[in-house]
Amino acid sequence: MRKEDPTGASRWRRVRSAKGRAPHRERRGVEGFGYASATPHMGSTTGTLKAELDLFRPLVIGRDPRSIQAVLLDLDKTLRGAPQAKAAIDCALHDLVARELGVPLNVLFGGAVRDAVPILRILAIKTPAEMAAQAQKLVDKGYRYLKIKVRGHVEEDVARVAAIRRQVGDDVHLTIDANQSYKTKEAITALIAWRSIGLISSSSRSTPMISRPALVTRMFR
């Protein structure tokens, strides 16, 4: 899905994301597909992702696709990390098994629990008024789940969330994505303010990778 507002900014606006790769497995004419994102701040570039998949290829080709856990254990033994490449292989094997069985993929995970999934749209960093206006446009199109990008400045970010909540009302699900831009104490300050506004959840850790997770947990039990 394309960006709703390509002119907006996020904390990672200077990081370029390469196109993902879609490795696949084939057996008896049946193909399974997986996707890996070549995104530097998530652990992979186009070059490293290709190298990881090339390294893993001999460990996957010729294996029983139903032995998913055994394959993944061998990948872990061969190379630490590489989560994007491993995830792509994981997805491709599950997809292949489901296609061979002639069942929806969800059957392998216990079956469907819903027949629809809400789509979450991202609000890029702008002024509170501009973000609130953009939020309203999305709500008018039928979206009820919004992710708010923030910069790491408590007062500015609280103002952004407050403006959006006032604009769209209480029936819209709001979540925050700070992209690790907060230190722990500032994160707690912001979360306390956002909770009073009606924020549903926060999807980003503080910097460096939440240095005091127990403190944050105690504050928001």
Side-chain angles (χ1 to χ4, degrees):
M1 181 178 290
R2 69 174 182 83
K3 290 183 178 180
E4 182 65 29
D5 182 7
T7 66
S10 73
R11 180 68 180 180
W12 292 103
R13 59 192 178 278
R14 294 176 182 170
V15 177
R16 298 178 62 86
S17 295
K19 292 182 179 179
R21 299 178 63 85
H24 72 281
R25 276 293 314 275
E26 180 175 351
R27 191 170 83 148
R28 296 194 293 269
V30 179
E31 291 181 309
F33 291 87
Y35 177 81
S37 174
T39 308
H41 74 267
M42 296 178 68
S44 295
T45 65
T46 302
T48 61
L49 185 58
K50 181 180 185 304
E52 290 158 1
L53 291 172
D54 288 343
L55 175 67
F56 292 151
R57 187 184 303 275
L59 302 174
V60 179
I61 300 300
R63 300 282 291 273
D64 184 340
R66 296 168 295 182
S67 302
I68 296 172
Q69 191 58 37
V71 172
L72 295 178
L73 286 172
D74 285 343
L75 301 186
D76 285 339
K77 292 176 184 176
T78 301
L79 181 66
R80 293 181 62 183
Q84 306 282 22
K86 291 174 182 177
I89 293 170
D90 187 351
C91 291
L93 291 173
H94 277 91
D95 189 44
L96 177 55
V97 171
R99 290 173 186 270
E100 281 193 331
L101 294 173
V103 299
L105 183 58
N106 64 61
V107 172
L108 302 185
F109 298 94
V113 297
R114 57 179 63 86
D115 57 12
V117 178
I119 296 174
L120 181 148
R121 300 307 302 266
I122 294 176
L123 292 169
I125 297 173
K126 289 191 173 183
T127 68
E130 289 173 321
M131 293 179 73
Q134 185 66 21
Q136 187 63 57
K137 290 180 182 179
L138 292 171
V139 171
D140 291 343
K141 292 179 180 179
Y143 297 106
R144 291 297 180 270
Y145 286 73
L146 304 177
K147 177 187 282 189
I148 304 167
K149 289 285 187 177
V150 292
R151 193 183 299 278
H153 304 300
V154 175
E155 291 186 6
E156 293 179 9
D157 294 338
V158 169
R160 289 183 173 97
V161 177
I164 292 166
R165 177 57 80 197
R166 285 194 301 268
Q167 180 68 44
V168 302
D170 295 332
D171 295 332
V172 176
H173 181 289
L174 299 182
T175 186
I176 292 291
D177 188 354
N179 289 118
Q180 302 175 27
S181 59
Y182 275 100
K183 295 181 179 179
T184 302
K185 290 185 178 180
E186 285 77 7
I188 290 172
T189 301
L191 286 167
I192 290 172
W194 288 330
R195 184 166 60 180
S196 68
I197 294 168
L199 179 70
I200 302 300
S201 62
S202 176
S203 63
S204 181
R205 291 173 276 185
S206 65
T207 303
M209 308 298 280
I210 289 198
S211 57
R212 303 174 67 185
L215 175 59
V216 178
T217 300
R218 286 198 304 271
M219 291 292 296
F220 294 97
R221 280 179 177 170

